[in-house]
Amino acid sequence: MPEATKYQDPATIQRVLHTGRSIAIVGLSANTLRASHFVGYYAQRHGYQIIPVNPREEQVLGEESFNSLTAVGDTVDIVNVFRDPAAVPAIAKEAVAVGAKALWLQFGVISDEGAAIAADAGLDVIMDRCLKVEHARYIGRMHWLGLNTEVVTARRPVRR
Amino acid sequence: MQERHVAGMMELPERQFGFQTRALHAGARPEPETGARAVPIFQTSSYVFEDPESAAAYFNLQEYGNTYSRIMNPTVAAFEERIANLEVGAGAVAFASGLAAQSSTFFTLLSAGDHVVASRALYGGSITQLKHLFKKLSVELTFVDPDDPNEWHQATTERTRLFFGETIGNPGGNVMDIEQIAKVAHDHSIPLVMDNTFATPYLCRPIEWGADIVIHSATKFLGGHGTSIGGVVIDSGDFDWSNGKFAVIAEPSDAYHGLSFHETFGMYGFLMKLRSETLRDLGGCMSPFNAFLFLQGMETLPLRMDRHVSNALEIATWLEARSDVVSVSHPAIHYRENAGLLEKYLPKGAGAVFCFELHGGRSAGQNFIRNVQLFSHLANVGDAKSLIIHPASTTHRQLSDDELQAAGIAPGTVRLSVGIEDVEDLQWDLEQAFARSN
């Protein structure tokens, strides 16, 4: 199985989205036009606790920004990464150290080494997938935009 | 702030469903509020916002939310998701017509001074659109032989931004070697845009052969009943718009307060731009009622196409054997020496639209059409009913004699769109038309 699809398992993605409550976003920008801000805004709107990790910001989306994952202190369920792939192995080690349950690498953030560090420590790993898109696919309203969710079901969804 | 939901997971199917199953179900999840099984017709121009913050989030594209039916509508979205699923694309955007879908795609990707390489054997309306509309927009154009990859390569310049062709040419019946032409396009770092109207995703899925964008006139086989005009654009999500040639997708957009569609939406960048800028600005949206009729039609697409292609092949073979017919352009006849091409791209059949040429030129063609009883004389294809037309007088009227010849049309050419009637009745009708015309 290619590395990328190994870390794109639909069941894992849904479990992480449904069980996680706090998301540390590494590289979260205060610039509202950046992809990281789109994801942070969306996740906060859908009730997740957002923890910005970015030494260049003081506060993002009304939350204090931390210099590193290890500086956070609070429980981190999902570590969501918007960084250069080269930075991922170090982030993965920190994610393991703070007891995170999942490492989620965004579109283009591809690091087999980082993914392996987290997976070997028992974390769920998702790679080259967008947290906002996957949430919208299974829980949100991606189907309102004519995008192919690949969800095919005759079950009546729970209203949301 | 919305409450967070953890119940009611929408699970991906554990099984990869077949084409007919997806033609019935994809995009059409039961409506949560009422349980309605058919896709409801959301005949509304606008949508009440929960609060000002939600309204802002929808317009900023930070949240998926309905704003205005020129840009999005839940009934239209069900149609878009269904065709995107069947074409194995990342998503789709529907338009008021096939030509609106096509012009909006070009408008999104091209700027003044850019260049397009297109097949010479296109639908007459597409040739006219490319030639005249693009002249006004200062886009350069080169037509090439669709069957010769080298011509596509030779025609490409530094400013070429896309290739455009038809899976099955209208009406000449040429079949593009999609995989080869896609390779030439990708060697030049540009996308291949394919019109797949005549094949439908049941017979051929261009994205599986490397095409990047697929366009349909939904008016034809997708709707299948000649009731509604509509079009749709499907994107594979695979093309790298950040390769340096597509600042229109990759760079911050002045038309959307500085948003960079490629960075923000990744594989959905082109589709988001097509919807939230081009559809917003040019305004050629599909009506919800038409989307409903297209959804209804697509439920039986595989069943109809099987009958369309078998009837068409039988009629074409029957016509070819007649002494009063000069030639028949059905792909199965045209590519008899190159059957591997059809076996590769159209294993279930080569569509149901083809031409035949009568002795006696223009008047013979017109006379024949006067004498049919069951074939409807009209300017459409892909209806469940059989259709007939004389291209030189109608659909390809604006073309010069040279262009007609290049598109495979003679003065005595008659185009058929073979329907799903009893094939013996269609043969009877053509037979009596031959008898009366002679």
Side-chain angles (χ1 to χ4, degrees):
Chain A
M1 190 185 284
E3 291 296 298
T5 46
K6 177 173 156 190
Y7 297 121
Q8 296 172 353
D9 174 47
T12 305
I13 288 173
Q14 290 177 74
R15 184 173 64 248
V16 168
L17 287 171
H18 282 292
T19 56
R21 297 205 160 272
S22 61
I23 308 175
I25 305 183
V26 184
L28 176 58
S29 171
N31 180 346
T32 56
L33 291 175
R34 300 308 301 270
S36 61
H37 197 91
F38 269 75
V39 171
Y41 177 93
Y42 177 92
Q44 190 180 56
R45 196 179 149 78
H46 284 269
Y48 294 94
Q49 184 202 343
I50 297 305
I51 305 166
V53 177
N54 186 342
R56 282 184 284 190
E57 307 285 0
E58 301 243 312
Q59 207 185 47
V60 187
L61 292 165
E63 300 286 345
E64 181 192 351
S65 180
F66 295 90
N67 288 343
S68 68
L69 274 175
T70 45
V72 170
D74 277 352
T75 307
V76 175
D77 294 329
I78 305 169
V79 175
N80 181 222
V81 183
F82 286 85
R83 288 289 307 278
D84 190 291
V88 174
I91 294 167
K93 283 174 195 157
E94 287 191 51
V96 173
V98 301
K101 298 181 189 69
L103 178 70
W104 189 310
L105 308 177
Q106 285 289 130
F107 278 145
V109 185
I110 296 168
S111 167
D112 291 340
E113 186 191 342
I117 290 167
D120 290 348
L123 276 71
D124 284 322
V125 178
I126 295 146
M127 186 157 83
D128 200 23
R129 280 284 176 266
C130 174
L131 188 145
K132 179 187 172 190
V133 168
E134 298 308 315
H135 183 279
R137 180 195 305 278
Y138 298 113
I139 303 163
R141 307 155 162 180
M142 185 173 161
H143 59 291
W144 280 2
L145 247 69
L147 301 177
N148 184 5
T149 62
E150 295 181 40
V151 173
V152 174
T153 179
R155 279 194 202 151
R156 182 169 172 173
V158 174
R159 201 181 152 228
R160 58 187 117 251
Chain B
M1 189 71 62
Q2 292 189 347
E3 192 187 330
R4 180 149 167 267
H5 298 274
V6 290
M9 294 168 59
M10 296 292 292
E11 289 173 46
L12 269 192
E14 287 170 28
R15 178 179 165 80
Q16 176 56 49
F17 292 127
F19 191 94
Q20 175 66 75
T21 302
R22 289 179 290 122
L24 284 161
H25 289 276
R29 51 183 86 182
E31 208 279 313
E33 183 78 34
T34 61
R37 176 60 277 205
V39 175
I41 303 169
F42 288 95
Q43 194 70 34
T44 184
S45 64
S46 323
Y47 309 84
V48 177
F49 301 119
E50 297 92 331
D51 47 59
E53 292 75 24
S54 297
Y58 301 164
F59 277 97
N60 287 338
L61 307 178
Q62 292 163 307
E63 168 67 289
Y64 304 87
N66 290 311
T67 53
Y68 192 59
S69 283
R70 172 159 37 81
I71 299 164
M72 57 200 297
N73 173 281
T75 312
V76 177
F79 163 72
E80 291 166 334
E81 184 173 359
R82 180 168 301 173
I83 186 66
N85 185 298
L86 297 180
E87 285 283 11
V88 298
V93 181
F95 291 87
S97 70
L99 276 184
Q102 202 168 282
S103 58
S104 296
T105 301
F106 296 147
F107 191 84
T108 304
L109 292 177
L110 302 172
S111 303
D114 284 345
H115 175 249
V116 168
V117 181
S119 160
R120 190 175 286 142
L122 299 174
Y123 159 55
S126 295
I127 291 178
T128 308
Q129 181 186 70
L130 289 163
K131 270 171 56 185
H132 300 291
L133 182 66
F134 284 2
K135 200 168 179 182
K136 287 187 174 177
L137 300 176
S138 298
V139 170
E140 301 290 322
L141 175 68
T142 307
F143 285 120
V144 296
D145 176 355
D147 298 336
D148 183 357
N150 197 43
E151 271 202 37
W152 294 81
H153 168 69
Q154 295 291 338
T156 306
T157 73
E158 267 306 294
R159 293 304 303 265
T160 307
R161 287 296 176 273
L162 63 91
F163 284 1
F164 180 63
E166 292 173 349
T167 311
I168 305 174
N170 173 8
N174 68 285
V175 173
M176 280 238 323
D177 191 336
I178 302 169
E179 192 171 28
Q180 278 232 47
I181 307 299
K183 189 178 177 312
V184 177
H186 296 160
D187 285 347
H188 289 284
S189 305
I190 57 172
L192 171 63
V193 181
M194 290 298 299
D195 181 298
N196 197 35
T197 300
F198 275 25
T200 82
Y202 180 64
L203 300 180
C204 179
R205 289 174 293 281
I207 288 171
E208 289 179 347
W209 299 107
D212 303 285
I213 292 170
V214 172
I215 298 178
H216 280 276
S217 166
T219 313
K220 312 302 186 300
F221 296 99
L222 295 183
H225 298 78
T227 61
S228 318
I229 303 289
V232 66
V233 178
I234 302 105
D235 179 27
S236 71
D238 294 334
F239 191 81
D240 177 13
W241 302 105
S242 67
N243 68 12
K245 288 198 166 181
F246 292 91
V248 285
I249 310 288
E251 295 297 314
S253 172
D254 293 340
Y256 221 102
H257 52 66
L259 190 66
S260 163
F261 282 85
H262 180 74
E263 189 215 280
T264 306
F265 299 111
M267 67 190 290
Y268 306 107
F270 168 76
L271 288 164
M272 292 299 284
K273 175 118 180 162
L274 182 65
R275 180 185 301 282
S276 47
E277 281 190 8
T278 310
L279 184 56
R280 178 197 67 183
D281 295 343
L282 298 187
C285 59
M286 178 180 283
S287 89
F289 187 61
N290 283 9
F292 174 81
L293 291 171
F294 291 135
L295 282 163
Q296 202 66 25
M298 287 164 76
E299 292 195 355
T300 57
L301 178 69
L303 297 174
R304 284 185 290 108
M305 290 313 291
D306 279 337
R307 180 66 168 255
H308 274 296
V309 298
S310 70
N311 276 5
L313 185 59
E314 194 161 338
I315 297 283
T317 313
W318 177 78
L319 283 170
E320 193 197 12
R322 296 184 65 95
S323 59
D324 39 13
V325 170
V326 179
S327 62
V328 181
S329 74
H330 189 286
I333 294 168
H334 192 66
Y335 290 94
R336 196 167 274 154
E337 309 299 313
N338 189 8
L341 191 77
L342 293 193
E343 191 51 45
K344 176 173 178 178
Y345 292 108
L346 296 159
K348 289 193 167 78
V353 181
F354 67 91
C355 291
F356 64 98
E357 187 187 344
L358 293 161
H359 291 293
R362 185 176 293 260
S363 62
Q366 293 179 338
N367 208 26
F368 186 84
I369 284 171
R370 249 188 282 278
N371 288 318
V372 291
Q373 292 188 31
L374 209 47
F375 279 79
S376 303
H377 178 208
L378 54 76
N380 191 26
V381 297
D383 196 321
K385 303 172 193 73
S386 288
L387 315 175
I388 189 166
I389 203 160
H390 184 234
S393 323
T394 55
T395 52
H396 292 64
R397 184 88 186 89
Q398 272 73 40
L399 272 58
S400 69
D401 285 355
D402 285 350
E403 286 172 335
L404 277 178
Q405 200 186 357
I409 300 162
T413 293
V414 170
R415 185 184 75 187
L416 299 182
S417 172
V418 179
I420 62 173
E421 294 95 339
D422 295 296
V423 70
E424 299 80 8
D425 293 338
L426 298 178
Q427 279 170 354
W428 168 84
D429 189 26
L430 296 172
E431 182 73 66
Q432 65 84 26
F434 277 117
R436 283 171 193 247
S437 307
N438 288 336

